[in-house]
Coordinates of all heavy atoms in Angstrom, one line a residue:
R968 N 1.2 7.9 -2.1 CA 0.3 8.0 -3.3 C 0.1 6.5 -3.9 O 1.0 5.6 -3.7 CB 0.9 8.8 -4.4 CG 1.1 10.3 -4.0 CD -0.3 11.0 -3.8 NE -0.1 12.3 -3.3 CZ -0.3 13.4 -4.2 NH1 -0.4 13.2 -5.5 NH2 -0.2 14.6 -3.7
N969 N -1.0 6.4 -4.7 CA -1.1 5.1 -5.4 C -0.4 5.3 -6.7 O -0.6 6.1 -7.5 CB -2.6 4.9 -5.7 CG -3.4 4.8 -4.4 OD1 -3.0 4.2 -3.5 ND2 -4.6 5.3 -4.4
L970 N 0.6 4.4 -6.9 CA 1.5 4.6 -8.1 C 1.2 3.9 -9.3 O 1.7 4.2 -10.4 CB 3.0 4.1 -7.6 CG 3.6 4.8 -6.4 CD1 5.0 4.3 -6.1 CD2 3.6 6.3 -6.6
D971 N 0.4 2.8 -9.2 CA 0.0 2.0 -10.4 C -1.3 1.4 -10.2 O -2.0 1.5 -9.2 CB 1.2 0.9 -10.6 CG 1.3 0.6 -12.1 OD1 0.4 0.4 -12.8 OD2 2.5 0.5 -12.5
C972 N -1.7 0.6 -11.2 CA -3.0 -0.1 -11.1 C -2.7 -1.5 -11.6 O -2.3 -1.7 -12.8 CB -4.0 0.7 -12.1 SG -5.6 -0.1 -12.1
Q973 N -3.0 -2.5 -10.7 CA -2.8 -3.9 -11.1 C -3.9 -4.8 -10.4 O -4.3 -4.4 -9.3 CB -1.4 -4.3 -10.5 CG -0.2 -3.6 -11.2 CD 0.1 -4.2 -12.6 OE1 -0.1 -5.3 -12.9 NE2 0.7 -3.3 -13.4
A974 N -4.1 -5.9 -11.0 CA -5.0 -6.9 -10.3 C -4.2 -7.6 -9.2 O -2.9 -7.7 -9.4 CB -5.6 -7.9 -11.3
Y975 N -4.8 -7.9 -8.1 CA -4.2 -8.7 -7.1 C -3.7 -10.0 -7.6 O -2.6 -10.4 -7.5 CB -5.0 -8.8 -5.9 CG -4.4 -9.4 -4.6 CD1 -4.2 -8.6 -3.5 CD2 -4.2 -10.8 -4.5 CE1 -3.6 -9.1 -2.4 CE2 -3.6 -11.3 -3.3 CZ -3.4 -10.5 -2.3 OH -2.9 -10.9 -1.1
Y976 N -4.7 -10.7 -8.3 CA -4.4 -12.0 -8.9 C -5.4 -12.3 -10.0 O -6.5 -11.9 -9.9 CB -4.5 -13.1 -7.9 CG -3.7 -14.3 -8.3 CD1 -2.4 -14.4 -7.9 CD2 -4.3 -15.4 -9.0 CE1 -1.7 -15.6 -8.3 CE2 -3.6 -16.4 -9.4 CZ -2.3 -16.6 -9.0 OH -1.5 -17.7 -9.3
S977 N -4.9 -12.7 -11.1 CA -5.7 -13.1 -12.3 C -5.0 -14.3 -12.9 O -3.7 -14.2 -13.1 CB -5.8 -11.9 -13.2 OG -6.6 -12.3 -14.4
T983 N -3.1 -16.6 -2.3 CA -2.3 -16.2 -1.1 C -1.4 -15.0 -1.5 O -1.0 -14.9 -2.7 CB -1.5 -17.2 -0.5 OG1 -0.5 -17.7 -1.3 CG2 -2.4 -18.5 -0.1
W984 N -1.1 -14.2 -0.6 CA -0.3 -13.0 -0.9 C 1.1 -13.5 -1.6 O 1.5 -13.0 -2.6 CB 0.1 -12.2 0.3 CG 1.2 -11.2 0.1 CD1 2.4 -11.2 0.7 CD2 1.3 -10.1 -0.8 NE1 3.2 -10.2 0.2 CE2 2.5 -9.6 -0.7 CE3 0.3 -9.6 -1.7 CZ2 2.9 -8.4 -1.5 CZ3 0.7 -8.4 -2.4 CH2 2.0 -7.9 -2.3
G985 N 1.8 -14.4 -0.9 CA 3.2 -14.8 -1.4 C 3.2 -15.4 -2.8 O 4.2 -15.2 -3.6
D986 N 2.0 -16.0 -3.3 CA 1.9 -16.5 -4.6 C 1.2 -15.6 -5.6 O 0.9 -16.0 -6.7 CB 1.2 -17.8 -4.5 CG 1.9 -18.9 -3.7 OD1 3.2 -18.9 -3.8 OD2 1.3 -19.8 -3.1
S987 N 0.8 -14.5 -5.1 CA 0.0 -13.6 -6.0 C 0.8 -12.9 -7.1 O 2.0 -12.7 -6.9 CB -0.7 -12.5 -5.2 OG 0.3 -11.5 -4.7
E988 N 0.1 -12.6 -8.2 CA 0.8 -12.0 -9.3 C 1.3 -10.5 -8.8 O 2.3 -10.0 -9.3 CB -0.2 -11.8 -10.5 CG -0.4 -13.2 -11.2 CD -1.2 -13.0 -12.5 OE1 -1.8 -11.9 -12.7 OE2 -1.4 -14.0 -13.2
L989 N 0.5 -9.9 -8.0 CA 0.8 -8.6 -7.5 C 2.1 -8.6 -6.7 O 3.0 -7.7 -6.8 CB -0.3 -8.0 -6.6 CG -0.2 -6.6 -6.2 CD1 0.3 -5.6 -7.4 CD2 -1.5 -6.0 -5.6
C990 N 2.3 -9.5 -5.8 CA 3.5 -9.8 -5.1 C 4.7 -9.9 -6.0 O 5.8 -9.3 -5.8 CB 3.4 -10.9 -4.1 SG 4.9 -11.2 -3.1
K991 N 4.5 -10.8 -7.0 CA 5.6 -11.0 -8.0 C 5.9 -9.8 -8.8 O 7.1 -9.5 -9.0 CB 5.2 -12.2 -8.9 CG 5.2 -13.6 -8.1 CD 4.5 -14.7 -9.0 CE 4.4 -15.9 -8.2 NZ 3.7 -17.0 -8.9
W992 N 4.9 -9.0 -9.1 CA 5.1 -7.9 -10.0 C 5.8 -6.8 -9.2 O 6.8 -6.2 -9.7 CB 3.7 -7.4 -10.4 CG 3.8 -6.1 -11.2 CD1 4.0 -5.9 -12.6 CD2 3.7 -4.8 -10.7 NE1 4.1 -4.6 -12.9 CE2 3.8 -3.8 -11.8 CE3 3.4 -4.2 -9.4 CZ2 3.7 -2.5 -11.6 CZ3 3.3 -2.9 -9.2 CH2 3.4 -2.0 -10.3
L993 N 5.5 -6.6 -7.9 CA 6.1 -5.6 -7.1 C 7.6 -6.0 -7.0 O 8.4 -5.0 -6.9 CB 5.4 -5.6 -5.7 CG 4.2 -4.7 -5.6 CD1 3.5 -4.9 -4.3 CD2 4.4 -3.2 -5.9
N994 N 8.0 -7.2 -6.7 CA 9.3 -7.6 -6.5 C 10.2 -8.0 -7.6 O 11.4 -8.1 -7.5 CB 9.3 -8.8 -5.4 CG 8.9 -8.4 -4.0 OD1 9.7 -7.9 -3.3 ND2 7.6 -8.5 -3.7
K995 N 9.6 -7.9 -8.8 CA 10.4 -8.0 -10.0 C 10.2 -6.8 -10.9 O 11.1 -5.9 -11.0 CB 9.9 -9.3 -10.7 CG 10.3 -10.6 -10.0 CD 9.9 -11.8 -10.7 CE 10.2 -13.1 -10.0 NZ 9.8 -14.3 -10.7
T996 N 9.1 -6.7 -11.6 CA 8.9 -5.6 -12.6 C 9.0 -4.2 -11.9 O 9.9 -3.4 -12.4 CB 7.5 -5.7 -13.3 OG1 7.5 -7.0 -13.8 CG2 7.4 -4.7 -14.4
F997 N 8.3 -4.0 -10.9 CA 8.3 -2.7 -10.3 C 9.6 -2.4 -9.6 O 10.2 -1.3 -9.8 CB 7.2 -2.6 -9.2 CG 7.2 -1.3 -8.4 CD1 6.7 -0.1 -9.0 CD2 7.7 -1.3 -7.1 CE1 6.6 1.1 -8.3 CE2 7.7 0.0 -6.5 CZ 7.2 1.1 -7.0
Y998 N 10.2 -3.3 -8.9 CA 11.5 -3.2 -8.1 C 12.6 -2.9 -9.1 O 13.4 -2.0 -8.9 CB 11.8 -4.4 -7.4 CG 13.1 -4.4 -6.7 CD1 13.3 -3.8 -5.5 CD2 14.1 -5.2 -7.2 CE1 14.5 -3.8 -4.8 CE2 15.4 -5.3 -6.6 CZ 15.6 -4.6 -5.4 OH 16.8 -4.5 -4.7
N999 N 12.6 -3.5 -10.3 CA 13.7 -3.4 -11.2 C 13.5 -2.1 -12.1 O 14.5 -1.6 -12.7 CB 13.9 -4.6 -12.1 CG 14.4 -5.8 -11.3 OD1 15.3 -5.6 -10.5 ND2 13.9 -7.0 -11.6
T1000 N 12.3 -1.6 -12.2 CA 12.0 -0.5 -13.1 C 12.1 0.8 -12.3 O 12.6 1.8 -12.8 CB 10.6 -0.6 -13.7 OG1 10.6 -1.8 -14.5 CG2 10.4 0.6 -14.6
A1001 N 11.5 0.8 -11.0 CA 11.4 2.1 -10.3 C 12.6 2.6 -9.6 O 12.8 3.8 -9.3 CB 10.3 1.8 -9.2
F1002 N 13.6 1.7 -9.3 CA 14.7 2.0 -8.5 C 16.1 1.8 -9.2 O 16.3 0.8 -9.9 CB 14.7 1.2 -7.2 CG 13.5 1.3 -6.4 CD1 12.6 0.2 -6.4 CD2 13.1 2.5 -5.7 CE1 11.4 0.4 -5.7 CE2 12.0 2.6 -5.0 CZ 11.1 1.5 -5.0
Q1007 N 18.3 0.3 -4.9 CA 17.9 -1.2 -4.6 C 18.8 -1.7 -3.5 O 18.4 -2.5 -2.7 CB 18.1 -1.9 -5.9 CG 17.1 -1.7 -6.9 CD 17.3 -2.6 -8.2 OE1 18.1 -3.5 -8.1 NE2 16.6 -2.3 -9.2
N1031 N 9.9 -10.2 1.3 CA 9.8 -9.2 0.1 C 10.6 -8.0 0.2 O 10.9 -7.6 1.3 CB 8.3 -8.8 0.0 CG 7.3 -9.9 -0.1 OD1 6.2 -9.8 0.4 ND2 7.7 -11.0 -0.8
K1032 N 11.0 -7.5 -0.9 CA 11.6 -6.2 -1.0 C 10.6 -5.1 -1.0 O 10.8 -4.1 -0.3 CB 12.5 -6.1 -2.2 CG 13.7 -7.0 -2.2 CD 14.8 -6.5 -1.4 CE 16.1 -7.2 -1.8 NZ 17.3 -6.6 -1.0
V1033 N 9.5 -5.4 -1.7 CA 8.4 -4.4 -1.8 C 7.1 -5.2 -1.5 O 7.0 -6.4 -2.0 CB 8.4 -3.8 -3.2 CG1 7.3 -2.7 -3.2 CG2 9.7 -3.3 -3.7
Y1034 N 6.2 -4.6 -0.8 CA 5.0 -5.4 -0.5 C 3.8 -4.4 -0.2 O 3.9 -3.2 -0.5 CB 5.2 -6.3 0.8 CG 5.5 -5.6 2.0 CD1 4.6 -5.3 3.0 CD2 6.9 -5.2 2.3 CE1 5.0 -4.7 4.3 CE2 7.3 -4.6 3.4 CZ 6.3 -4.3 4.4 OH 6.7 -3.7 5.6
L1035 N 2.7 -4.9 0.3 CA 1.6 -4.0 0.6 C 1.3 -4.1 2.1 O 1.6 -5.0 2.8 CB 0.3 -4.5 -0.2 CG 0.3 -4.6 -1.6 CD1 -1.0 -5.1 -2.3 CD2 0.7 -3.2 -2.3
T1064 N -1.8 8.7 -8.6 CA -0.9 9.6 -9.5 C -1.6 9.5 -10.9 O -2.4 8.7 -11.2 CB 0.5 8.9 -9.7 OG1 0.3 7.5 -10.1 CG2 1.2 8.9 -8.3
Y1066 N -0.1 8.6 -13.5 CA 0.2 7.4 -14.1 C -0.8 6.2 -13.8 O -1.2 5.5 -14.6 CB 1.6 6.9 -13.7 CG 2.1 5.7 -14.4 CD1 2.5 5.6 -15.7 CD2 2.1 4.5 -13.7 CE1 2.9 4.5 -16.3 CE2 2.5 3.3 -14.4 CZ 2.9 3.3 -15.7 OH 3.3 2.1 -16.3
A1067 N -1.1 6.1 -12.4 CA -2.1 5.2 -12.0 C -3.4 5.4 -12.7 O -4.1 4.4 -13.1 CB -2.3 5.2 -10.5
C1070 N -3.3 4.1 -16.2 CA -3.3 2.6 -16.2 C -4.7 2.0 -15.8 O -4.9 0.8 -15.9 CB -2.2 2.0 -15.3 SG -0.5 2.4 -15.9
W1087 N -5.2 -1.6 -2.8 CA -5.2 -3.0 -2.2 C -4.4 -3.1 -0.9 O -3.5 -2.4 -0.7 CB -4.4 -4.0 -3.3 CG -5.1 -4.3 -4.5 CD1 -4.7 -3.9 -5.8 CD2 -6.3 -5.1 -4.7 NE1 -5.5 -4.5 -6.8 CE2 -6.4 -5.2 -6.1 CE3 -7.1 -5.8 -3.9 CZ2 -7.5 -5.9 -6.6 CZ3 -8.2 -6.5 -4.4 CH2 -8.3 -6.6 -5.8
Y1119 N -8.1 -1.5 -9.3 CA -7.6 -1.1 -8.0 C -6.1 -0.7 -8.0 O -5.4 -1.2 -8.7 CB -7.8 -2.2 -7.0 CG -9.3 -2.4 -6.7 CD1 -10.1 -3.1 -7.4 CD2 -9.8 -1.8 -5.5 CE1 -11.5 -3.2 -7.2 CE2 -11.2 -1.9 -5.2 CZ -12.0 -2.6 -6.1 OH -13.3 -2.8 -5.8
A1120 N -5.8 0.3 -7.2 CA -4.4 0.9 -7.2 C -3.5 0.2 -6.3 O -3.9 -0.6 -5.4 CB -4.5 2.4 -7.0
V1121 N -2.2 0.5 -6.6 CA -1.1 -0.2 -5.8 C -0.3 0.9 -5.0 O 0.1 1.9 -5.6 CB -0.2 -1.0 -6.7 CG1 1.0 -1.6 -5.9 CG2 -0.9 -2.0 -7.5
R1122 N -0.2 0.7 -3.7 CA 0.4 1.7 -2.8 C 1.6 0.9 -2.2 O 1.4 0.3 -1.1 CB -0.5 2.3 -1.8 CG -0.1 3.4 -1.0 CD -1.1 3.9 0.0 NE -0.6 5.1 0.7 CZ -1.3 5.7 1.6 NH1 -2.5 5.2 1.9 NH2 -0.8 6.8 2.2
P1123 N 2.8 0.9 -2.8 CA 3.8 0.0 -2.3 C 4.4 0.4 -1.0 O 4.4 1.6 -0.5 CB 4.9 0.1 -3.4 CG 4.2 0.7 -4.6 CD 3.1 1.5 -4.0
V1124 N 5.0 -0.5 -0.3 CA 5.7 -0.4 1.0 C 7.0 -1.0 0.9 O 7.2 -2.0 0.3 CB 4.9 -1.0 2.2 CG1 5.6 -0.8 3.5 CG2 3.5 -0.5 2.2
M1164 N 10.7 8.3 -7.3 CA 9.6 7.3 -7.6 C 9.1 7.5 -9.0 O 9.2 8.7 -9.5 CB 8.4 7.4 -6.6 CG 8.8 7.1 -5.2 SD 9.5 5.4 -4.9 CE 8.0 4.5 -5.0
P1165 N 8.5 6.5 -9.7 CA 8.0 6.8 -11.0 C 6.8 7.7 -11.0 O 6.2 7.8 -10.0 CB 7.5 5.3 -11.4 CG 7.3 4.6 -10.2 CD 8.2 5.2 -9.1
P1166 N 6.5 8.3 -12.1 CA 5.4 9.2 -12.1 C 4.0 8.6 -11.8 O 4.0 7.4 -12.0 CB 5.4 9.8 -13.5 CG 6.1 8.8 -14.3 CD 7.1 8.2 -13.4

Side-chain angles (χ1 to χ4, degrees):
R968 298 293 178 98
N969 299 325
L970 300 185
D971 208 316
C972 179
Q973 298 283 328
Y975 189 106
Y976 204 88
S977 179
T983 62
W984 164 248
D986 293 327
S987 70
E988 288 183 355
L989 186 48
C990 179
K991 294 171 184 175
W992 177 83
L993 280 170
N994 286 278
K995 292 181 181 178
T996 304
F997 177 77
Y998 176 78
N999 290 318
T1000 302
F1002 304 106
Q1007 288 181 13
N1031 302 146
K1032 294 279 192 175
V1033 189
Y1034 60 100
L1035 301 181
T1064 59
Y1066 183 77
C1070 292
W1087 291 114
Y1119 287 80
V1121 181
R1122 190 179 184 184
V1124 179
M1164 300 297 288

